[in-house]
Amino acid sequence: MAENRMMRYEEEIPDREYFVAPRHARRRRRVSWKLLLLCAVLFLSGLLLGRALAAEVDMEGGYRAGGTSAGAGPVQAIAPVAEQKKDTEEWQLLLVNRDHLLSEDYKIHEMTKLRGGHSVDSRIYPDLQKMMDDARAEGLQPLICSSYRTWDKQEELFQRKVSYYLRQGCDRQEAEEKASAWVARPGTSEHQAGLAVDIVDVAYQVLDEQQEQTEVQQWLMEHCAEYGFILRYPTDKSELTGVSYEPWHYRYVGKEAARELTEQGLCLEEYLSGQSVVLF
Ligand SMILES: [Zn+2]
């Protein structure tokens, strides 16, 4: 039937129209253009939608890089993992200590404000929040008592400690040396980078070695690495870190580094010196 119609149709076409286009051909070509246009629109829509979804996943991936493992699978499968890793290595393994000072013009990353006037680098916030939530779910009462500090604030804290030792009879150099064992000199504190928090137990808010006996610290020391944090100044690493034991100062380094540091019993200085990471 189709062949017959086609033949009949061809026969009915006036000669002049052959040079333009047979009607059936024109109709089919119009259909083809419509199809092509539809395909192009669908393709472009798909492309734009795909890119939008990828961007969304990427943002979530940034959070989940150190966040819940539940969402890590599909994110890692789609997001550019290599780029994420490179990016995280650059910021979360930042070494700040007496030999590696932050410059005064160090650019603080976007900050997230916390209760009590505190704030931290937004990139560590999701894991910090999760750690605090999980600790509370265990019936504990952790309290962040220090977080991001400006250069001026660090200077003020340091000078206050220096004044204390001056009153004890030390000369200035001696006072500054003693003070630096307790309060980081300006430029040498991780608090200035927004990557560290001091956490205490509500029931015991004194910053001394007894803090390690509290339920909050016992829990944090055991679990902080699961959230990408390390106890930055352990009791047996003071010579390497240059800071006295602080069983309240937690530094974010990311889950992978936190796990390795913890498993190998290393402080950050040891960990980084064994890696091909550019020290700041
Ligand atoms: Zn601290």
Side-chain angles (χ1 to χ4, degrees), residues 190 237 261:
E190 294 177 334
K237 304 285 184 180
L261 276 153

Side-chain angles (χ1 to χ4, degrees), residues 183-222:
V183 180
R185 293 175 192 266
T188 70
S189 173
E190 294 177 334
H191 287 287
Q192 292 178 257
L195 301 175
V197 284
D198 292 342
I199 305 174
V200 293
D201 195 316
V202 166
Y204 186 79
Q205 301 184 26
V206 184
L207 297 181
D208 64 13
E209 291 195 12
Q210 297 305 308
Q211 186 64 229
E212 71 174 9
Q213 304 297 329
T214 64
E215 288 185 328
V216 164
Q217 300 304 343
Q218 294 287 315
W219 188 90
L220 286 174
M221 287 179 191
E222 186 180 344

Side-chain angles (χ1 to χ4, degrees), residues 160-171 174-175 178:
R160 195 185 298 171
K161 202 69 174 176
V162 169
S163 298
Y164 168 79
Y165 284 112
L166 286 172
R167 287 196 302 275
Q168 300 295 310
C170 299
D171 61 33
E174 193 180 5
K178 286 192 172 184

Side-chain angles (χ1 to χ4, degrees), residues 146 149 191 196-198 233 246 248-250:
S146 188
R149 293 178 198 152
H191 287 287
V197 284
D198 292 342
Y233 307 117
E246 291 192 356
W248 56 83
H249 180 108
Y250 293 89

Side-chain angles (χ1 to χ4, degrees), residues 22-42:
R23 271 196 292 170
H24 80 284
R26 276 188 284 151
R27 189 162 67 241
R28 290 180 73 182
R29 187 172 291 177
R30 277 201 301 274
V31 170
S32 297
W33 277 111
K34 282 180 183 173
L35 274 172
L36 280 172
L37 191 64
L38 184 64
C39 287
V41 168
L42 286 173

Side-chain angles (χ1 to χ4, degrees), residues 65-66 85 87-96 123-124 127 190 194-197 224-232 249-262 266-269 271-272 275:
K85 191 164 186 178
D87 177 51
T88 54
E89 279 182 358
E90 284 174 358
W91 67 270
Q92 63 196 20
L93 293 180
L94 174 69
L95 183 62
V96 184
R123 294 169 294 189
I124 83 169
D127 284 335
E190 294 177 334
L195 301 175
V197 284
C224 68
E226 296 164 24
Y227 305 88
F229 287 86
I230 55 167
L231 185 69
R232 178 68 174 88
H249 180 108
Y250 293 89
R251 158 68 195 270
Y252 189 81
V253 293
K255 287 181 179 176
E256 185 182 347
R259 192 188 69 247
E260 291 175 357
L261 276 153
T262 305
L266 304 173
C267 67
L268 190 58
E269 280 76 7
Y271 181 72
L272 293 179
Q275 299 225 339

